[in-house]
Amino acid sequence: MPLNIVSLVSVGRHPQSGRSRRAEQDGRAVEMGLKLAGQQLSVVHVGNPDEPVLRQYAGMGLSSLTVLKQADRFDAVPVLQRYLEQKNIDIVLTGVRSESGESSGMVPYLLAHALGWPVVARVADIVCVEKGEAQVLLALPRGQRRAVRVALPFIASLDLAAPPARQSAFGVGLRAKIETIESIGEVDQIRVDWQEAEAKPRAKRLKTVKAKTAAERFKAATAKPQGDAGKVLINETTQQKAQAIFDLLLEEKVIR
Amino acid sequence: MNDFSSVAVSPVGVVRRDPRKEWMARNRLHPRHHEVISEGVGGEMGANGLMRRNPRQIGFIGPNGIKRIDRLKGNAVQTPNKRQSVVPEVVLPWHVVATADFYIFVVPDMVGGRLSGHDKDILGLAHRLQKEIAGQGAVVAVCFGEVKETQFELAGVDRLVHFAGAEFEGFAAEAKAAALAAMDERWAPKHWLFPDSIHGGTDLGSRLAAELGERPATQAWQVDLEKTVARGAGGSLDISRATPRILFLLEECAYPIDETRHQVLSLEMPEVQRPAPRLLDQGLVAVDPNEIPLAEAEFILSAGNGIHNWAQFHQTAKALGATEGASRVAVDDGFMPRSRQVGASGTWVTARVYIAVGISGAIQHLQGIAQCDKIIAINTDAGCDMVKRANLAVIDDSDAILSALMMLANEKLVEPGAVQGNTNKEDSDAA
Ligand SMILES: Cc1cc2nc3c(=O)[nH]c(=O)nc-3n(C[C@H](O)[C@H](O)[C@H](O)COP(=O)(O)OP(=O)(O)OC[C@H]3O[C@@H](n4cnc5c(N)ncnc54)[C@H](O)[C@@H]3O)c2cc1C
C-alpha cells in the first residue's frame, strides 16, 4: 500500500539578498516525501497560487501542487486542519521554522494538537515505515542522532540535517499543474496588531564590572579570570590516573 | 680598582679582565652567579699556615658603579613578586520570598544536567519581570531527569520543581509536556519562559503552547511587561507585540542574577496522569565521531607534540568514541589533517569534554578551547599552562595513559553492565 504523504511548503527568503526562494527546510520536506512516496506525494501550500516560488518546488519532479488560496493576513492552521482531516493521511512533513512571516515553528504542533496526532520535531531521516509504524531519526545538537518509533499518522518537522533538496528543474516546474482550492480563513488578529521592523543588530553584551572602589575596578580590569584550580594527579599509579579520567568521562556521559 | 677574580695580572704584567665573569657577577639570575661571586672568598693559606682573606675581594660592582655584597650566599628567601592577595569570600544577601503572590515558571534546558548560560539569562529575565509585576512573585525552575547543578541558589531559583524518574530520562517530550500542563493547571503561573534553543526548549515550549491553546512569542529578545520584541522571518524582522504569557527567549535576553542568593524551596507537584507515550525512544544512535564537525563535537580527544605513537592515539579515540583534534604542531608536522586543528588559527571548539594529550597549552590553543566545559590534560610537565587550565590533570607519559584508557574502554564494551552510567548503552543496543 503506498503511503499517503503530504509535504507542506512555504515561501522562503534568502538570508542575504532577501529574495523569495524555495525554503531550505521545506525543500527537505519535499525531498523526504519523494523518497517515501515517490510520485504519490502531495505538496500543499497555503497562500497565493500565483507565487513563482511554488514552481521551484514543482521543479523537483512534481506533476501537481495544491494551493489552499487565502490572503496573507489569514491564519494558515485552520485551513490546513480542515484540508488534512478530509484526506486519509499517513505522514505530514513540514520544516522546523518558516523563513518568512512569524517563523514561530508552531504550525506542526498546532496541527498535531488539532488532529490529535503525535509530532516529532527536528527529524533527520525517516528510515522506514512498516506495519503502521515509522522508524525516525531525530537530529540532536552536536551531530548526535536519536532513534524514535512512532505510529502513523504523525507530523514530522525536518531539520537541516535531513538530506538536502534535489536540484529544481525549471521546465518541469513550469509544466506542473497548480490546483487551487478556495478557502475561507480566519483573520489572524494578533498578527494584524503587531508592528514589524527590519531586524536591528543586537548589541554585544558588555562585561559590566560592579566595582565600588578604584582598587576593585583596577583589579577587575587587570586580573586574570581565576578559575578554581583543577585536580592534578601526580603520584598515583598509571592505572589509577586512567581510572580517574575514565570516571569523569562516564560521569559526563560522553562514553556510552 | 676591580677587586674580584675576573681581574688577573698576567706574567708579563698586562691586566686581563674577564668580561664574561664580570657579567655573570652582575647578573644575579645567572646560574653560575654564586660560583663567580664566592670565588676567592674562602681565602687562601698564608705562608705561616694561617688562612688569609682579602676583605676587599668580596662583593662585586653593580652596573651603576656601587659595590654590592650578597651576604646571604644564595639562601635568600624567595619573595613572591606579587603581593599575596587573599580574596575574601563574598557572601551574597538572601532574596527571600516567604509567600508568593504569583509565580513565573522557567523551564531550563539543563544541558548535561546543569544550567547553561542561556538558562541563567532567562532566570535573570524572570526576576526582571517579577519585579515589574505588583506583589511578590517567585521564580520557579522546572527540571526533568537527572540534575547535577549545585548552584541553583546563585542563579536565582526561588522554587524548584524536579520531576525525576525513568519516564523523564532520554527523549520524553510528551511526558514532560504533560507534566508542564499539569503544573499550569495547579499553579497558573503569570508567565512560562523557555529557552528558544535546539536543546529541547523550543520543542517542549511548543508542545505546551499547543496544549494550552496559547500563542507564544518565539525568538524573543527584548521583553518587558507590556511589549515584546521578537525575531521573525528567519531573523530578518523585529516583531513588536504585546507580551504573551508563554515566551521562547533567545540568548542574552537579560543579565543573569549575580547579586543575590535564593532559597530553592520545593513546590508541590500535582499528580500527573500520563497518556500512553506515542513516541517510543529507541536510544541514541552511534554516529561516527569523526563525521561530526569539530566545532560541534561534544567530546574531543586532542593530540599535541607529546604524542609519539599515532596509531595508538587513533585507536584510543575510536575506543572512547571521541572526535579527534590536534594542536598546530601536530598538524604542521603532518600527523593530522589541517581540518582537525584546534585553536586560534584552526577551529574554535565547544566540546563539553576536551582531553588534551601532550599539549602545552599555548595561548593560541587555549583560545580555541575557551568554551569547553571540562578539560582533561595528560602531560609530563606539571607546570604547563594546559595543566593550569584543566579541571583534571594527569602527569604521566601519554603512551601509558592512553593504553590504560583504551583497556578500560574495551573492558566496558565487553561488559557494559559492570560500570555505572550505561543506560544509554542498553538503549542503543536495542535499537
Ligand atoms: C599566529 C599563530 C597562530 C597559532 N595558532 C595555533 C592554533 O590555532 N592552534 C594551536 O594549537 N597552535 C597554534 N599556534 C602554535 C602555538 O603557539 C604552539 O606552538 C602550539 O600550540 C604548541 O603545540 P603543542 O602544545 O602540541 O606542542 P608543545 O608546545 O611542544 O607541547 C608539547 C607538550 O607535550 C608534553 N609532552 C611531551 N612528551 C610527552 C609525553 N610522552 N607524554 C605526555 N606529554 C608529553 C610536553 O610536556 C609539552 O607540554 C599558533 C602560533 C602562532 C604564532
Side-chain angles (χ1 to χ4, degrees):
Chain A
M1 192 190 72
L3 288 168
N4 198 353
I5 295 183
V6 176
S7 296
L8 307 182
V9 299
S10 63
V11 178
R13 178 189 175 283
H14 193 278
Q16 262 73 48
S17 69
R19 269 192 279 179
S20 315
R21 65 159 182 187
R22 175 175 72 170
E24 288 275 323
Q25 293 167 345
D26 297 352
R28 284 169 162 79
V30 176
E31 181 67 42
M32 183 66 64
L34 286 171
K35 175 189 142 189
L36 294 172
Q39 282 304 308
Q40 308 298 312
L41 172 72
S42 34
V43 176
V44 177
H45 172 71
V46 183
N48 177 8
D50 301 328
E51 176 61 52
V53 171
L54 294 180
R55 300 284 172 191
Q56 293 183 20
Y57 289 106
M60 292 171 72
L62 310 174
S63 53
S64 75
L65 223 133
T66 311
V67 177
L68 309 177
K69 186 178 172 186
Q70 74 171 16
D72 249 9
R73 65 202 155 85
F74 292 111
D75 192 354
V77 174
V79 188
L80 274 172
Q81 183 198 339
R82 255 173 278 135
Y83 175 81
L84 295 173
E85 269 168 354
Q86 292 161 15
K87 315 259 160 157
N88 189 14
I89 288 166
D90 294 318
I91 305 176
V92 176
L93 301 170
T94 73
V96 173
R97 237 177 208 160
S98 72
E99 294 174 3
S100 52
E102 190 184 354
S103 287
S104 70
M106 285 297 291
V107 169
Y109 294 94
L110 293 174
L111 280 177
H113 188 254
L115 297 166
W117 296 355
V119 53
V120 264
R122 297 199 168 268
V123 169
D125 200 1
I126 297 180
V127 184
C128 62
V129 183
E130 42 186 28
K131 297 194 207 114
E133 260 193 347
Q135 182 83 37
V136 178
L137 276 187
L138 301 189
L140 303 188
R142 301 186 176 283
Q144 302 292 316
R145 298 281 182 273
R146 184 184 286 285
V148 168
R149 238 175 37 221
V150 54
L152 303 179
F154 68 94
I155 299 190
S157 65
L158 286 155
D159 189 85
L160 282 179
R166 65 189 65 180
Q167 180 107 34
S168 165
F170 185 70
V172 178
L174 278 191
R175 282 193 293 277
K177 205 162 86 228
I178 293 202
E179 291 160 10
T180 308
I181 301 177
E182 291 288 340
S183 61
I184 347 140
E186 298 158 24
V187 177
D188 182 350
Q189 194 52 46
I190 298 178
R191 182 159 182 187
V192 172
D193 289 344
W194 76 40
Q195 285 115 42
E196 291 180 1
E198 191 147 316
K200 267 192 297 190
R202 294 179 61 187
K204 247 194 173 166
R205 176 178 283 182
L206 297 176
K207 207 177 109 197
T208 46
V209 178
K210 288 179 184 161
K212 297 205 172 61
T213 63
E216 277 175 27
R217 272 194 299 278
F218 178 73
K219 221 176 77 194
T222 54
K224 277 191 203 166
Q226 275 185 342
D228 33 343
K231 209 161 76 177
V232 182
L233 306 182
I234 302 180
N235 295 325
E236 285 79 356
T237 64
T238 304
Q239 201 54 40
Q240 282 168 337
K241 289 172 185 169
Q243 190 64 47
I245 296 180
F246 201 71
D247 288 344
L248 182 64
L249 299 182
L250 285 177
E251 189 194 317
E252 291 295 324
K253 295 211 167 140
V254 287
I255 297 190
R256 325 189 218 314
Chain B
M1 185 191 69
N2 255 316
D3 52 6
F4 59 75
S5 52
S6 70
V7 183
V9 181
S10 76
V12 262
V14 182
V15 179
R16 292 198 184 282
R17 297 175 63 190
D18 183 348
R20 189 171 133 78
K21 263 194 185 164
E22 283 177 14
W23 179 71
M24 282 198 279
R26 280 203 305 273
N27 179 3
R28 282 198 278 173
L29 298 178
H30 196 281
R32 286 181 55 204
H33 172 73
H34 292 292
E35 226 175 274
V36 174
I37 284 302
S38 48
E39 225 174 78
V41 172
E44 49 199 65
M45 194 83 76
N48 46 9
L50 284 176
M51 284 299 278
R52 296 243 164 240
R53 251 181 217 167
N54 180 358
R56 281 171 205 84
Q57 223 176 39
I58 55 171
F60 61 95
I61 307 291
N64 44 9
I66 296 174
K67 185 164 185 171
R68 301 242 167 241
I69 302 172
D70 184 1
R71 294 186 200 278
L72 295 168
K73 303 214 165 62
N75 295 324
V77 193
Q78 276 288 317
T79 44
N81 42 6
K82 271 179 264 162
R83 240 184 296 159
Q84 218 109 57
S85 57
V86 184
V87 186
E89 186 91 22
V90 201
V91 179
L92 298 172
W94 285 102
H95 171 94
V96 177
V97 184
T99 47
D101 304 327
F102 61 90
Y103 294 94
I104 294 183
F105 276 42
V106 175
V107 188
D109 275 335
M110 306 291 289
V111 181
R114 299 194 185 87
L115 289 172
S116 64
H118 196 173
D119 295 338
K120 288 181 186 166
D121 292 350
I122 290 169
L123 285 165
L125 181 82
H127 275 281
R128 231 180 53 200
L129 287 175
Q130 180 265 116
K131 275 187 208 133
E132 287 178 44
I133 304 174
Q136 196 176 33
V139 171
V140 187
V142 186
C143 308
F144 296 97
E146 193 187 349
V147 170
K148 288 194 212 141
E149 178 65 54
T150 51
Q151 304 267 303
F152 280 121
E153 179 176 294
L154 299 178
V157 177
D158 294 324
R159 305 279 190 271
L160 181 71
V161 180
H162 182 199
F163 288 96
E167 67 268 34
F168 296 112
E169 295 286 348
F171 179 70
E174 286 190 313
K176 290 180 187 175
L180 293 186
M183 286 301 283
D184 186 75
E185 200 175 318
R186 169 70 183 80
W187 294 104
K190 272 264 190 313
H191 284 288
W192 279 102
L193 309 184
F194 291 88
D196 202 339
S197 72
I198 52 174
H199 296 284
T202 316
D203 183 43
L204 194 50
S206 305
R207 283 175 199 273
L208 181 72
E211 179 74 35
L212 301 179
E214 289 182 41
R215 181 143 169 184
T218 60
Q219 308 192 66
W221 60 280
Q222 246 179 23
V223 181
D224 59 30
L225 214 47
E226 272 83 49
K227 204 181 84 172
T228 294
V229 181
R231 285 276 143 100
S236 66
L237 278 185
D238 269 342
I239 299 174
S240 322
R241 64 204 290 188
T243 299
R245 196 166 77 100
I246 304 180
L247 289 154
F248 303 173
L249 298 146
L250 292 180
E251 252 167 295
E252 302 196 357
C253 53
Y255 283 103
I257 293 290
D258 60 352
E259 288 185 331
T260 42
R261 271 189 299 166
H262 297 255
Q263 290 165 299
V264 201
L265 302 178
S266 63
L267 202 64
E268 182 208 316
M269 292 189 279
E271 201 48 48
V272 185
Q273 26 170 308
R274 238 160 270 115
R278 297 179 292 181
L279 309 177
L280 299 171
D281 184 10
Q282 309 274 289
L284 289 173
V285 179
V287 277
D288 178 4
N290 282 331
E291 292 285 297
I292 304 171
L294 195 56
E296 273 183 35
E298 181 170 37
F299 174 29
I300 298 179
L301 183 71
S302 199
N305 204 12
I307 290 275
H308 306 295
N309 185 347
W310 285 91
Q312 185 201 35
F313 170 75
H314 294 304
Q315 279 166 17
T316 314
K318 199 160 167 223
L320 294 175
T323 307
E324 290 178 7
S327 79
R328 176 150 170 183
V329 173
V331 171
D332 283 353
D333 291 353
F335 293 115
M336 295 286 278
R338 182 64 71 194
S339 59
R340 295 269 149 223
Q341 182 185 322
V342 173
S345 49
T347 310
W348 294 55
V349 299
T350 57
R352 249 179 351 99
V353 180
Y354 184 87
I355 310 186
V357 194
I359 297 180
S360 58
I363 185 68
Q364 291 92 353
H365 193 87
L366 290 184
Q367 276 170 357
I369 58 171
Q371 288 189 39
C372 295
D373 271 355
K374 288 266 184 269
I375 293 184
I376 304 175
I378 301 174
N379 207 307
T380 41
D381 173 10
C384 73
D385 285 339
M386 187 54 89
V387 170
K388 288 184 195 136
R389 169 73 175 79
N391 302 79
L392 171 66
V394 161
I395 310 304
D396 208 332
D397 185 60
S398 59
D399 267 11
I401 294 284
L402 285 187
S403 60
L405 266 180
M406 196 154 62
M407 254 164 49
L408 285 172
N410 289 339
E411 262 170 41
K412 174 142 188 294
L413 265 189
V414 175
E415 199 184 354
V419 208
Q420 57 150 116
N422 53 342
T423 42
N424 287 327
K425 170 71 195 148
E426 284 162 7
D427 286 345
S428 53
D429 278 350

